[in-house]
Amino acid sequence: MDPAKTPLGQMLLDEITPVVMVLSTPSVEDACLKNGLSFLQMLTPFSSFNNIDVPVRTASDQPYRLQKFKLRLYYASDVRKPDLEVAKEHLKQVITEAGEKEFSELSSDTPEINHVLENSQPGNAPSWLQIFNKELIRVVSFSDHEAFDHPVACLLAVSSKDEQPINRFIDLFNTNKLPSLLNDGVMDPKILKHYLLVHDNQDGPADRATKILTEMRNTFGTSDCALLCINSSTDAPIKREENPWASYNSDVSPGPDLGFFLNTDDITMIKDLMQDLSSKHIIPSMEQKIRVLNQQVSATRKGFRNQLKNLWWRKGKEDSTDSVNGPMYSFSSTESQIRVLGDYAFMLRDYELALSNYRLISTDYKLDKAWKRYAGVQEMMGLAYFMLDQSRKEAEYCMENAFNTYLKLGSSGQQNATRCGLWWIEMLLARDLYKEAAPIYFRICGEDVLHSAVMLEQASYCYLLSKPSMLRKFGFHLVLSGDHYNKCDQIKHAIRTYRSALSVFRGTTWSHIKDHVHFHIGQWYASLGMCDVAVKHMLQILACGHQSKTTQELFLGDFLQIVQKTGRTFEVSRLQLPVINISSLKVVFEDHRTFGSPSAANTRESLWRSLEEEIIPSFSTTKSNWLELQSKLISKKYRESSVCVAGEAVKVNVEFKNPLQIPIPVSGVSLICKHFPGTVEVGPDENISRMENDSVGECEELTACRDMSSENSFLVSEVDFLLRGGETTMVQLSVTPREEGTLEVLGVRWKLLGSIVGFHDFDFNHVKKNGLKGKRKGKRSANENLKFLVIKSIPKLQGSIHPFPDKAYVGDLRHLVLELRNPSEFPVKNLKMKISHPRFLNIGNQESMKSELPACLIKKVDSIPSGANANPFNMSDTVFMFPEGTSVQGATPFAWPLWFRAAFPGDISLYMSIYYEIGDISNAIKYRILRLQYNLQVLPSLDLSFQISPSPLRLQEFLVRMDVVNKTASEDFRVNQLSSVGSNWEISLLQPVDTIFPSQSLRAGQSISCFLTLKNCRSLSTAKDSISLVPKPVKSDIKLVPQGTDDSLYDTRSEPLVNFHHYEKLQLESLHEAQRDLNTVDFVLISRPLQSNRNTGSVDPPLVMSHYACHCSTASTGPISWILDGPRTLHHNFSASFCEINLKMHLHNSSDATAFVRITTSGSAVNDGHLNSVNMPQSASSPDDQGGWRPVTPVNEVKVPSNISGTPPEKPLSLGSVSPYIWSGSSSTNIHLESMSSAEIPLQICVFSPGIYDLSNYALHWNLVLAEGRGDQDATRQRSGRCLGYTYYLTVLQST
């Protein structure tokens, strides 16, 4: 890297160059002004040389050549420190002019961040920033602590028209007219003087000028005098293709006459003048001064001896107080001479010599605490290191040291710190250290707000150019810069920086900063009168739900003010307020599927399809899929199209959300549609063109689509509503086609706050359509998703169920009516119906149309017990066929009775599909389906449970415990009746009703328990006698109300109780496949609410309630039940013999399969561990031999002698040698029991001594033999088992 070719190198070659002080007479200025130029401006373009090629020899003997050289020309009046206020105004003017230019070149759209990154090059920053930096550096020109701004020469110009030109030259360099730098002793007034005589050729020939030049040379010396002739073009003005003064338009006076009278010879003479002045006078003079000063410095300061002397002399100055400039140094002081030597060497490119002298003087200034001079030397050392391309760390250290030292000086060093910081930044940028350069911009901001704005903007571009780019900091600093610009009323600059920041924030989740940027851009554009652009930006912040309520009110209020300023209504595509949830968009249309309520239309299509599989004929036979069905029953012309019917509305559910915390009024919400008459296919070119998110006022096509043929072809609905803060509402919009053809729904339109019209085209990829007909063979194009083929009007069935409850208690039984209407003049026929929950809704008979509850349920005296009153249609069928010939037409409604019962608690949805065929066969649609849905809340009422255990005394008798709990919070019920379903079970109470219900009711939260006996009255057969017994009347109903009340018995075998019992039983059978045997019983509990509660609460009180408990099992140990029958107590004289006791075992097979049973009685020890031995003597040899024996002391306490021979009468029988009793019959008995049959088995035991015996030491083994073909069905059924004997106590006493 060549430092001289970097931006910093170019800046140093332009700014740290020799200064020439210019003194001219008014006559010289007048001659130059003829060309629109001052004398200084006329010479300036020729004071810069790109190839001067001058040899230079400074302190060393080795010369080098200068190629590029420049002189800076200043009038003597300008050689002074610039006035800060004037400089600030000038800088402000530079920024303002740049803002006007940049703002006019802004594009209408903000660039994308990808485009910004691709074009992020070092030179892509706004060009005016470099101009501003140069102007900022010039603010600290002509400082007294620096020598590179001190004039090295003085050019004195006198006109040939002036009187006594020699005296004028002398007067020009008068002390009173010289700058303060010369008069105050800051710089050496003995500088090079060059005398120039200017002659205006328009004033006459140059004879007089030649004489004056001769006199000048005699007076001031031949080499220091020169003649310049100008304005030689007198005949015709000269027009140049390249004007030398064009690049200085910012400095010279504007106008077309720059250099008008200067011909080629004049320009050549000016060039030669400046060339000679530089190469023959200024450069040699600087060389000479460098050599002289270097000799003086070497003699006084260099060398070890001189350094010690300098340190000793300066010792003690460290204790002096700090000051801004330190001690005052005159131009003749050694320190000033060394500084001049360094600056002269720097300007002549001898950076080694300059650096050595800067180092030398740096220590002196530091010891003298001359901090400003010390910082200036450190600054020049850093620049020298940079130009030498050596020790980058040293260069940066020097710059940072100088920068920090300037800042410590406060306001007096702020301007110098700014210049130092800019040079330091350029030094880092030359090495692509953008990230390190950015913080320095931030540090040099200072207190000037406008100055800070420019620095922050430049810092942002450093973050952008970093590798990798730091986009967040880029955008953040742009926002800071724009905020500072706004504070200085630089609105156009603020807009420009904020717009640039948008490229970073677009597409991010940084909502607050995006809102800040858009809001202020909108306000600033509005202040400039550009309200259309302001509205565009304000629209981006309307949906600011993340902001506070106060901020939302501010945004919305300012937006309305800007809109009102325009005086017109804006039409905006994709308006963000309110927010439209396209993903929840749902289209509801009716083809062959019609809906009785909005809830039915919102139900999943798959649920309706599963319900309607058996209604449509093809489904019940071949189970064809939906597409095959459509191909058979719907015309091929409409098979692949969405079909709607003329006169029937197509509804679109659109979700609107208010993201704000404040309410917003929305009015005129309607669909945007197109209608094409006939069946003309619409080409792609006729579809609505998609609008961009930022388009404002370009919605003419959508508006036209809304208005096109709206009076004749279709009718759209309009909705007005108020969205509260944070509210989300689903709005149903409709369009009703009136004619056949093609209808296309394009979008939605609404009006916000009465002044903004919003449009939103539908994103068809997210639209959910109601009832799409299965899977499409190919993906439909976006423009076809909301396109409908409109066919002619056809009959549409309307239906309702009344009075359908909204809430009910479990068990609530009601009589309802299904009412169907057909407004069309064409009839519908072949009606079918299917209900999703037959446990809740049951289809009644036409005869029960006028039935009233509970009177229709009262049990009649002559009622037939076989259930002849049940629903005549087969309850196993799931589809109800209306009677043949049923037709619905005209205004007369068609009614059919329904029975309702709340089966279980919860939020329940009931679905009903009614199929009907259209009489007019010329229609495209041959059939339609009416879909009804009703929602209700079922509350808990009575909870019913049963526990059944076998009776220990009789076979086929059971003890039952019934628990009833009232789970309501405030309702009281009267339990009227308990019934066992069927004619096989007889029930009876074990306790009076008054003891069960003392208050004759079941209070809220109360629970009761009662005990019953249950007897199986099913016809029995025994192994000995298979003759069936004659059935007898069975008492299957018991009243649970006291005697004398008005409540009669209810017939549980009548409609609808028997029907609901059927479906309750089916439900449990589907859940418990194993409960198909005959050992189960079903119970029905009938209850009614108390009369005092009927008009209280939010629930319509029921008239009668039924509760079912199905599949209550009576088999506790298995399908085989038995009982041991025999004496319980007997007396026997054991002195005579042992006692033989005969027993009987009654067996019953309650299963539906044949059973093989084996009874084992292998002695008293067969039931090891299960005998109950009480008060056994401690001398017993083994508890296993004790059996179930327990000794009993006779009443008269007389010992009975044994009659067994060989045994002494006085010796008692040994308990360890003989068992107290034994089974004397067969040790194993097998029996074959048919299904539902009984048998008796004789048993016998022998008892050898008195006592109490437990005869449970036997076991019963059973094995079921299933019929062929039932093995797979009853795979989970238990087929065999082993049961231990029941406890049976026998007391045997010694007879007297």
Side-chain angles (χ1 to χ4, degrees):
M1 178 190 69
D2 185 3
K5 295 182 179 179
T6 62
L8 176 58
Q10 297 293 328
M11 184 184 299
L12 295 178
L13 295 180
D14 288 339
E15 300 299 326
I16 303 182
T17 58
V19 174
V20 176
M21 182 175 63
V22 177
L23 294 170
S24 61
T25 62
S27 300
V28 174
E29 296 295 333
D30 293 340
C32 295
L33 286 176
K34 294 180 180 179
N35 299 285
L37 301 167
S38 66
F39 176 65
L40 186 70
Q41 293 169 348
M42 184 181 67
L43 300 180
T44 299
F46 309 101
S47 62
S48 179
F49 309 97
N50 292 325
N51 189 19
I52 194 171
D53 195 22
V54 176
V56 177
R57 186 174 63 87
T58 56
S60 64
D61 295 332
Q62 185 67 31
Y64 60 92
R65 305 190 74 84
L66 283 181
Q67 300 298 329
K68 186 173 181 179
F69 190 72
K70 180 180 178 181
L71 294 177
R72 291 183 292 158
L73 306 181
Y74 289 94
Y75 284 120
S77 59
D78 295 332
V79 180
R80 57 182 174 81
K81 294 181 181 179
D83 185 84
L84 288 181
E85 295 300 325
V86 176
K88 286 182 179 180
E89 287 297 324
H90 176 67
L91 290 175
K92 184 178 180 180
Q93 183 64 27
V94 171
I95 294 174
T96 303
E97 292 176 357
E100 296 288 343
K101 180 180 179 183
E102 295 287 336
F103 188 78
S104 63
E105 296 176 356
L106 283 180
S107 60
S108 58
D109 298 327
T110 56
E112 297 290 338
I113 188 60
N114 294 333
H115 179 73
V116 173
L117 290 174
E118 291 174 359
N119 296 329
S120 58
Q121 300 297 330
N124 286 351
S127 58
W128 69 272
L129 292 175
Q130 295 296 329
I131 300 174
F132 174 82
N133 290 343
K134 289 182 179 180
E135 295 294 334
L136 200 59
I137 290 174
R138 291 171 184 170
V139 172
V140 292
S141 300
F142 305 106
S143 299
D144 53 2
H145 68 288
E146 297 170 334
F148 54 78
D149 282 335
H150 296 176
V152 298
C154 180
L155 178 62
L156 295 91
V158 175
S159 174
S160 59
K161 292 173 57 177
D162 291 326
E163 298 180 358
Q164 300 180 353
I166 302 301
N167 293 333
R168 294 303 304 269
F169 278 118
I170 297 173
D171 292 340
L172 283 178
F173 204 75
N174 192 312
T175 305
N176 296 331
K177 298 180 180 180
L178 295 180
S180 59
L181 291 175
L182 296 173
N183 294 329
D184 296 341
V186 176
M187 62 171 292
D188 189 358
K190 296 179 181 180
I191 60 175
L192 173 68
K193 301 180 185 64
H194 193 74
Y195 303 93
L196 178 64
L197 181 65
V198 179
H199 175 69
D200 186 353
N201 286 329
Q202 292 184 358
D203 295 335
D207 296 341
R208 184 172 183 273
T210 303
K211 294 180 181 180
I212 298 174
L213 178 60
T214 302
E215 188 178 354
M216 289 169 51
R217 288 175 176 175
N218 293 331
T219 305
F220 305 114
T222 303
S223 60
D224 295 331
C225 299
L227 174 64
L228 176 64
C229 297
I230 60 175
N231 300 334
S232 300
S233 178
T234 57
D235 298 335
I238 298 175
K239 295 182 179 180
R240 301 178 181 88
E241 294 182 0
E242 294 182 3
N243 195 316
W245 300 275
S247 59
Y248 295 90
N249 282 334
S250 58
D251 297 330
V252 301
S253 303
D257 300 327
L258 300 181
F260 189 81
F261 295 106
L262 298 176
N263 60 12
T264 306
D265 295 335
D266 295 340
I267 294 177
T268 302
M269 186 174 289
I270 297 174
K271 288 181 179 180
D272 294 341
L273 170 68
M274 299 308 296
Q275 176 88 12
D276 292 342
L277 179 63
S278 299
S279 59
K280 296 180 180 180
H281 297 86
I282 293 179
I283 294 178
S285 175
M286 293 177 67
E287 288 178 319
Q288 180 64 29
K289 190 163 188 176
I290 288 174
R291 288 192 291 269
V292 171
L293 291 176
N294 186 57
Q295 291 178 0
Q296 295 177 1
V297 170
S298 298
T300 58
R301 295 296 306 278
K302 291 184 180 181
F304 181 71
R305 180 179 179 182
N306 290 332
Q307 291 180 10
L308 286 177
K309 184 188 300 184
N310 180 62
L311 290 175
W312 179 263
W313 178 75
R314 297 182 185 277
K315 186 178 181 180
K317 291 188 177 183
E318 296 178 358
D319 299 331
S320 62
T321 58
D322 288 349
S323 63
V324 175
N325 296 320
M328 190 65 185
Y329 299 96
S330 64
F331 68 90
S332 60
S333 64
T334 304
E335 292 83 1
S336 297
Q337 296 296 319
I338 298 175
R339 177 61 197 252
V340 170
L341 174 59
D343 288 348
Y344 273 41
F346 194 97
M347 289 187 286
L348 291 183
R349 315 290 194 270
D350 192 349
Y351 301 113
E352 291 282 359
L353 178 61
L355 181 60
S356 64
N357 285 278
Y358 291 145
R359 287 174 179 169
L360 184 64
I361 197 61
S362 174
T363 306
D364 295 347
Y365 285 145
K366 187 175 183 180
L367 292 175
D368 293 344
K369 296 185 179 181
W371 298 119
K372 193 170 187 178
R373 295 176 180 272
Y374 170 75
V377 171
Q378 288 288 318
E379 185 178 5
M380 295 305 297
M381 286 173 61
L383 296 178
Y385 276 122
F386 174 78
M387 296 303 291
L388 289 170
D389 198 16
Q390 297 176 0
S391 186
R392 297 181 179 180
K393 290 184 178 181
E394 286 292 335
E396 294 178 14
Y397 170 79
C398 291
M399 298 304 292
E400 184 174 10
N401 192 16
F403 182 79
N404 293 330
T405 305
Y406 278 133
L407 290 181
K408 290 178 182 179
L409 299 177
S411 58
S412 63
Q414 182 63 46
Q415 302 299 327
N416 294 93
T418 300
R419 183 191 66 183
C420 178
L422 291 176
W423 281 344
W424 184 13
I425 289 169
E426 292 295 338
M427 187 182 298
L428 295 173
L429 296 183
R431 296 164 184 158
D432 295 333
L433 300 177
Y434 297 98
K435 182 179 178 182
E436 291 75 6
I440 304 175
Y441 276 119
F442 196 81
R443 294 173 64 183
I444 63 178
C445 287
E447 298 180 357
D448 188 89
V449 180
L450 185 58
H451 174 190
S452 300
V454 181
M455 295 300 112
L456 288 170
E457 183 179 0
Q458 295 187 81
S460 68
Y461 290 107
C462 288
Y463 286 120
L464 177 65
L465 295 171
S466 300
K467 301 298 180 183
S469 297
M470 306 174 71
L471 295 180
R472 284 188 295 180
K473 289 193 174 183
F474 167 63
F476 177 70
H477 282 75
L478 280 176
V479 172
L480 287 179
S481 174
D483 184 62
H484 283 68
Y485 279 130
N486 177 48
K487 293 178 180 178
C488 300
D489 296 329
Q490 297 287 340
I491 302 300
K492 295 181 178 180
H493 276 297
I495 293 175
R496 179 180 54 79
T497 53
Y498 267 48
R499 278 170 52 94
S500 299
L502 278 180
S503 61
V504 178
F505 304 136
R506 184 188 294 115
T508 66
T509 57
W510 306 332
S511 304
H512 286 79
I513 194 167
K514 283 194 293 186
D515 291 347
H516 170 85
V517 172
H518 279 295
F519 175 68
H520 284 87
I521 292 178
Q523 281 190 323
W524 295 333
Y525 270 120
S527 66
L528 297 177
M530 303 173 65
C531 293
D532 289 350
V533 187
V535 169
K536 171 184 172 182
H537 285 277
M538 297 296 286
L539 286 171
Q540 303 297 321
I541 62 171
L542 292 184
C544 54
H546 48 275
Q547 298 284 0
S548 65
K549 184 177 180 181
T550 304
T551 304
Q552 293 173 5
E553 292 174 345
L554 173 65
F555 286 176
L556 203 59
D558 284 11
F559 172 71
L560 289 178
Q561 290 181 3
I562 294 174
V563 172
Q564 291 171 0
K565 287 181 180 179
T566 63
R568 60 187 180 90
T569 300
F570 279 85
E571 296 180 346
V572 182
S573 172
R574 303 255 176 156
L575 181 62
Q576 296 183 8
L577 193 68
V579 176
I580 297 180
N581 186 4
I582 292 296
S583 62
S584 66
L585 193 69
K586 184 176 181 180
V587 183
V588 180
F589 65 98
E590 296 178 325
D591 43 16
H592 65 283
R593 300 154 294 185
T594 63
F595 305 96
S597 63
S599 59
N602 294 328
T603 303
R604 300 190 316 272
E605 180 66 19
S606 59
L607 190 150
W608 289 117
R609 291 186 184 181
S610 62
L611 182 65
E612 296 162 1
E613 282 183 351
E614 299 182 43
I615 293 182
I616 302 174
S618 61
F619 276 148
S620 60
T621 56
T622 62
K623 296 291 183 182
S624 59
N625 59 37
W626 191 267
L627 287 177
E628 293 175 355
L629 175 67
Q630 297 300 311
S631 63
K632 295 177 181 178
L633 299 181
I634 297 180
S635 173
K636 181 179 179 181
K637 176 181 179 181
Y638 310 107
R639 195 174 305 156
E640 296 298 331
S641 302
S642 297
V643 178
C644 65
V645 181
E648 297 181 10
V650 175
K651 301 174 183 178
V652 180
N653 294 335
V654 185
E655 184 181 279
F656 289 84
K657 179 181 179 181
N658 180 9
L660 307 181
Q661 303 177 37
I662 56 179
I664 55 172
V666 183
S667 60
V669 184
S670 62
L671 293 175
I672 305 171
C673 305
K674 275 186 178 181
H675 183 271
F676 302 92
T679 58
V680 180
E681 293 295 333
V682 183
D685 55 332
E686 295 180 82
N687 292 326
I688 179 173
S689 59
R690 297 289 174 233
M691 299 165 292
E692 298 296 331
N693 292 338
D694 56 353
S695 61
V696 178
E698 295 183 0
C699 305
E700 294 81 1
E701 186 173 357
L702 278 177
T703 307
C705 295
R706 176 182 175 270
D707 298 334
M708 183 178 59
S709 304
S710 60
E711 295 296 328
N712 300 319
S713 301
F714 60 87
L715 178 66
V716 294
S717 64
E718 287 195 359
V719 180
D720 300 337
F721 54 89
L722 177 69
L723 278 177
R724 296 180 178 85
E727 181 182 1
T728 299
T729 183
M730 182 69 75
V731 178
Q732 187 171 80
L733 306 174
S734 64
V735 53
T736 305
R738 296 179 175 179
E739 300 176 356
E740 294 182 71
T742 302
L743 177 69
E744 186 176 0
V745 181
L746 301 174
V748 64
R749 173 188 185 273
W750 69 95
K751 198 170 187 178
L752 177 66
L753 304 171
S755 57
I756 298 294
V757 177
F759 296 86
H760 202 297
D761 58 332
F762 290 144
D763 187 355
F764 298 102
N765 293 326
H766 297 90
V767 174
K768 296 181 180 178
K769 299 193 69 177
N770 180 291
L772 291 179
K773 306 176 181 62
K775 296 181 179 179
R776 301 291 184 185
K777 292 184 179 180
K779 184 177 180 181
R780 301 181 65 189
S781 61
N783 63 331
E784 293 178 347
N785 282 334
L786 287 176
K787 185 191 297 184
F788 300 90
L789 198 60
V790 185
I791 64 173
K792 69 177 183 179
S793 178
I794 57 176
K796 175 185 175 182
L797 204 60
Q798 301 173 355
S800 63
I801 299 176
H802 61 85
F804 197 91
D806 294 329
K807 291 184 179 181
Y809 287 108
V810 172
D812 189 356
L813 193 64
R814 297 174 186 255
H815 182 265
L816 307 178
V817 176
L818 170 65
E819 188 175 281
L820 301 176
R821 295 177 180 270
N822 178 16
S824 174
E825 59 182 1
F826 299 101
V828 297
K829 57 185 180 179
N830 297 338
L831 277 74
K832 309 175 192 178
M833 179 168 58
K834 186 175 180 181
I835 299 173
S836 62
H837 293 71
R839 295 175 65 192
F840 280 82
L841 277 180
N842 192 261
I843 304 170
N845 295 316
Q846 188 67 38
E847 293 77 11
S848 62
M849 187 68 193
K850 297 182 179 180
S851 299
E852 294 185 1
L853 287 176
C856 63
L857 301 179
I858 300 299
K859 191 172 186 179
K860 299 178 177 59
V861 178
D862 57 347
S863 62
I864 302 174
S866 60
N869 294 331
N871 195 337
F873 89 94
N874 188 358
M875 287 184 293
S876 62
D877 294 336
T878 58
V879 178
F880 175 72
M881 306 283 295
F882 285 88
E884 187 177 355
T886 300
S887 177
V888 183
Q889 180 183 8
T892 303
F894 174 79
W896 195 268
L898 299 175
W899 294 103
F900 166 82
R901 177 184 173 271
F904 51 86
D907 294 327
I908 311 299
S909 295
L910 304 179
Y911 306 96
M912 176 185 296
S913 292
I914 302 175
Y915 168 92
Y916 58 96
E917 296 179 1
I918 301 171
D920 186 4
I921 61 174
S922 63
N923 288 302
I925 297 179
K926 308 301 180 184
Y927 73 92
R928 303 191 88 173
I929 297 176
L930 172 62
R931 295 171 172 177
L932 300 176
Q933 179 188 0
Y934 288 91
N935 300 319
L936 77 153
Q937 183 182 11
V938 180
L939 306 176
S941 58
L942 299 184
D943 185 49
L944 187 64
S945 63
F946 291 88
Q947 296 181 8
I948 304 176
S949 58
S951 173
L953 302 178
R954 296 178 182 84
L955 278 176
Q956 299 299 92
E957 287 193 10
F958 305 89
L959 296 178
V960 182
R961 172 180 171 175
M962 179 180 70
D963 296 310
V964 184
V965 181
N966 184 353
K967 291 193 171 183
T968 64
S970 59
E971 295 293 333
D972 300 340
F973 299 98
R974 174 180 293 175
V975 183
N976 290 61
Q977 172 182 334
L978 177 66
S979 301
S980 62
V981 179
S983 58
N984 297 325
W985 299 94
E986 182 178 293
I987 57 176
S988 60
L989 287 173
L990 291 178
Q991 56 193 127
V993 175
D994 295 338
T995 62
I996 302 174
F997 299 100
S999 61
Q1000 299 186 8
S1001 65
L1002 193 61
R1003 302 293 181 184
Q1006 183 183 359
S1007 62
I1008 60 102
S1009 299
C1010 65
F1011 296 91
L1012 317 166
T1013 59
L1014 177 67
K1015 183 178 181 181
N1016 191 344
C1017 299
R1018 189 180 291 110
S1019 298
L1020 305 177
S1021 62
T1022 64
K1024 296 180 179 180
D1025 187 8
S1026 60
I1027 301 175
S1028 300
L1029 300 177
V1030 178
K1032 298 179 181 180
V1034 176
K1035 185 181 179 182
S1036 59
D1037 305 314
I1038 57 173
K1039 294 179 64 175
L1040 298 178
V1041 293
Q1043 296 293 331
T1045 58
D1046 296 336
D1047 293 301
S1048 303
L1049 287 176
Y1050 295 95
D1051 189 0
T1052 58
R1053 290 182 290 269
S1054 65
E1055 183 189 15
L1057 293 178
V1058 66
N1059 298 339
F1060 285 119
H1061 168 254
H1062 169 76
Y1063 288 109
E1064 289 294 328
K1065 194 170 183 178
L1066 285 180
Q1067 175 69 17
L1068 287 179
E1069 285 181 357
S1070 64
L1071 297 176
H1072 306 285
E1073 296 277 340
Q1075 295 184 351
R1076 294 179 180 175
D1077 54 57
L1078 303 177
N1079 298 319
T1080 59
V1081 60
D1082 300 343
F1083 295 99
V1084 183
L1085 184 69
I1086 306 296
S1087 63
R1088 299 184 65 183
L1090 289 181
Q1091 295 290 336
S1092 59
N1093 292 3
R1094 289 199 173 188
N1095 295 325
T1096 61
S1098 59
V1099 181
D1100 187 15
L1103 297 174
V1104 65
M1105 305 171 70
S1106 63
H1107 308 272
Y1108 296 91
C1110 299
H1111 293 290
C1112 299
S1113 176
T1114 60
S1116 59
T1117 58
I1120 307 300
S1121 59
W1122 73 95
I1123 188 172
L1124 193 62
D1125 189 14
R1128 296 286 182 173
T1129 305
L1130 57 85
H1131 294 76
H1132 182 74
N1133 185 6
F1134 287 95
S1135 61
S1137 66
F1138 58 85
C1139 179
E1140 292 185 350
I1141 303 173
N1142 293 319
L1143 304 172
K1144 290 183 179 180
M1145 180 178 286
H1146 300 276
L1147 298 171
H1148 177 69
N1149 179 10
S1150 60
S1151 69
D1152 56 354
T1154 302
F1156 290 95
V1157 183
R1158 179 169 56 89
I1159 301 100
T1160 58
T1161 58
S1162 55
S1164 61
V1166 72
N1167 202 16
D1168 294 346
H1170 295 277
L1171 300 177
N1172 183 14
S1173 82
V1174 182
N1175 299 328
M1176 294 297 294
Q1178 297 298 325
S1179 62
S1181 61
S1182 173
D1184 293 339
D1185 296 333
Q1186 312 285 323
W1189 178 79
R1190 185 168 59 188
V1192 178
T1193 304
V1195 177
N1196 53 8
E1197 297 184 358
V1198 177
K1199 294 182 179 180
V1200 180
S1202 174
N1203 292 331
I1204 301 176
S1205 59
T1207 304
E1210 64 275 1
K1211 184 177 180 180
L1213 181 66
S1214 174
L1215 296 177
S1217 59
V1218 179
S1219 175
Y1221 79 93
I1222 62 172
W1223 294 93
S1224 58
S1226 174
S1227 63
S1228 178
T1229 304
N1230 296 323
I1231 187 171
H1232 176 236
L1233 278 178
E1234 297 292 338
S1235 171
M1236 302 305 297
S1237 63
S1238 300
E1240 284 185 6
I1241 299 175
L1243 300 174
Q1244 189 181 56
I1245 63 170
C1246 293
V1247 180
F1248 301 102
S1249 61
I1252 299 175
Y1253 301 93
D1254 182 2
L1255 304 183
S1256 61
N1257 56 340
Y1258 63 90
L1260 187 143
H1261 304 265
W1262 56 270
N1263 187 18
L1264 298 181
V1265 180
L1266 302 179
E1268 294 183 2
R1270 294 194 55 186
D1272 296 336
Q1273 299 177 2
D1274 297 337
T1276 61
R1277 186 174 181 178
Q1278 186 178 1
R1279 300 187 181 184
S1280 62
R1282 176 178 179 267
C1283 304
L1284 300 177
Y1286 295 134
T1287 301
Y1288 184 91
Y1289 290 109
L1290 173 63
T1291 304
V1292 182
L1293 301 175
Q1294 176 70 37
S1295 62
T1296 56

